[in-house]
Amino acid sequence: MSRRRIGASLRYILPIAEAPDSDPHVVPTLDSHEIPEGFCDIVGRGRMGEALATALAEAGLAVRGPFGRGADGAGAAVVLLCVPDREIGAAAAMIRPDVVLGHVSASAPLDLLAPHERFVLHPLLSVVGSGARFAGAYCAIDGSSARAAAIARALGERLGMRVRVIGPADRALYHAAASAASNFLVTVEGLAERLAGQVGLDRAALTPLVRATVENWAAAGARGALTGPVARGDEETVSRQRAAVAEAAPDLLPLWDALVTGTRQLAASAPRDRTS
């Protein structure tokens, strides 16, 4: 199949494969479904908009954009809004009513896109530029109709993503999990980077440790990956660390204390044969 960003309207037949298991979050089996004839427009020129426009075009879809806010989707079959949550409603109101409309927010209500036939497609990964690789990551979808959900699934699968349905009741908790896994992790690494800087180390010195820790967590889970003085009950070392943080960066102490408390709670449910 030839790859084109813009040009004459193209038709793509995208099969909806059988769900691989009985998980209720897997998109149910549907008959073969086609993305409607026409363009897929991307609205929003931020990181996600740039990344999705590039990736979907490389996957062979007829993509236009990313456009700035105010685009109306004229001539498009599908429009995907990649704008901040607070701007979804206003951006949706500009889109022609005959378009199937989606957004990429993790937790924003699908009803913000009403009265359009609508869907959500949220890639579960951190996107920092147009070269983002979506293949292999999970994405959360939902739709106002079977057709809208199937379009969301087809788009996700075109990107090589693993698709799961996350309904309205679960979306905020899903987003909280994503924030903890990504945003809060960066906050903790910011703390580590600042403390390391006090002894002449930059973040490159910590990077192998961070990568190994994440790999251990991926393989063994939180309890299995937990190491360090809190995990092994070495309160003398924990006290020395706290005193050092209090002296070098007292403003970080509330965060440090909260992390120690959380780590103690995790360690209490973890195996007790810690030696590192």
Side-chain angles (χ1 to χ4, degrees):
M1 183 182 295
S2 62
R3 295 178 177 179
R4 301 174 58 185
R5 179 177 286 267
I6 57 174
S9 297
L10 302 178
R11 171 172 291 187
Y12 298 105
I13 307 300
L14 298 179
I16 301 300
E18 288 191 11
D21 52 44
S22 59
D23 187 332
H25 294 99
V26 175
V27 181
T29 302
L30 297 172
D31 294 332
S32 294
H33 182 88
E34 62 179 45
I35 287 182
E37 183 177 354
F39 293 108
C40 176
D41 283 5
I42 307 296
V43 177
R45 291 175 174 156
R47 295 172 177 176
M48 185 63 77
E50 292 283 353
L52 281 174
T54 299
L56 288 171
E58 289 177 349
L61 272 69
V63 176
R64 298 188 304 188
F67 297 113
R69 300 172 185 85
D72 65 2
V78 177
V79 173
L80 195 53
L81 301 180
C82 303
V83 300
D85 288 13
R86 64 182 178 276
E87 299 180 18
I88 290 174
M94 302 294 295
I95 304 299
R96 295 168 60 91
D98 56 338
V99 169
V100 181
L101 184 60
H103 70 61
V104 297
S105 169
S107 59
L110 196 54
D111 287 349
L112 288 175
L113 305 180
H116 295 82
E117 189 173 9
R118 53 201 178 272
F119 65 89
V120 58
L121 170 68
H122 177 256
L124 189 55
L125 79 168
S126 179
V127 172
V128 296
S130 61
R133 306 298 301 176
F134 293 89
Y138 278 77
C139 67
I141 71 163
D142 196 13
S144 64
S145 65
R147 184 174 84 121
I151 290 171
R153 172 175 176 154
L155 291 172
E157 290 185 341
R158 269 302 183 93
L159 293 168
M161 305 190 81
R162 304 175 68 178
V163 179
R164 291 293 184 270
V165 175
I166 304 293
D170 293 332
R171 202 166 296 135
L173 188 59
Y174 157 80
H175 195 199
S179 294
S182 178
N183 311 145
F184 297 167
L185 178 61
V186 173
T187 299
V188 171
E189 299 310 336
L191 178 152
E193 183 178 1
R194 183 168 162 194
L195 297 179
Q198 297 277 353
V199 297
L201 297 177
D202 61 19
R203 65 176 175 271
L206 299 173
T207 299
L209 174 61
V210 174
R211 287 176 173 158
T213 301
V214 171
E215 290 299 325
N216 291 341
W217 166 77
R223 295 192 305 171
L226 185 62
T227 63
V230 174
R232 62 177 180 262
D234 184 354
E235 293 300 326
E236 184 178 347
T237 297
V238 172
S239 295
R240 285 200 303 268
Q241 288 180 337
R242 187 182 190 280
V245 172
E247 181 177 352
D251 59 302
L252 294 178
L253 207 54
L255 176 57
W256 178 269
D257 287 343
L259 291 169
V260 170
T261 298
T263 304
R264 281 200 178 102
Q265 292 171 349
L266 179 59
S269 61
R272 297 185 179 276
D273 58 343
R274 301 294 178 188
T275 58
S276 60

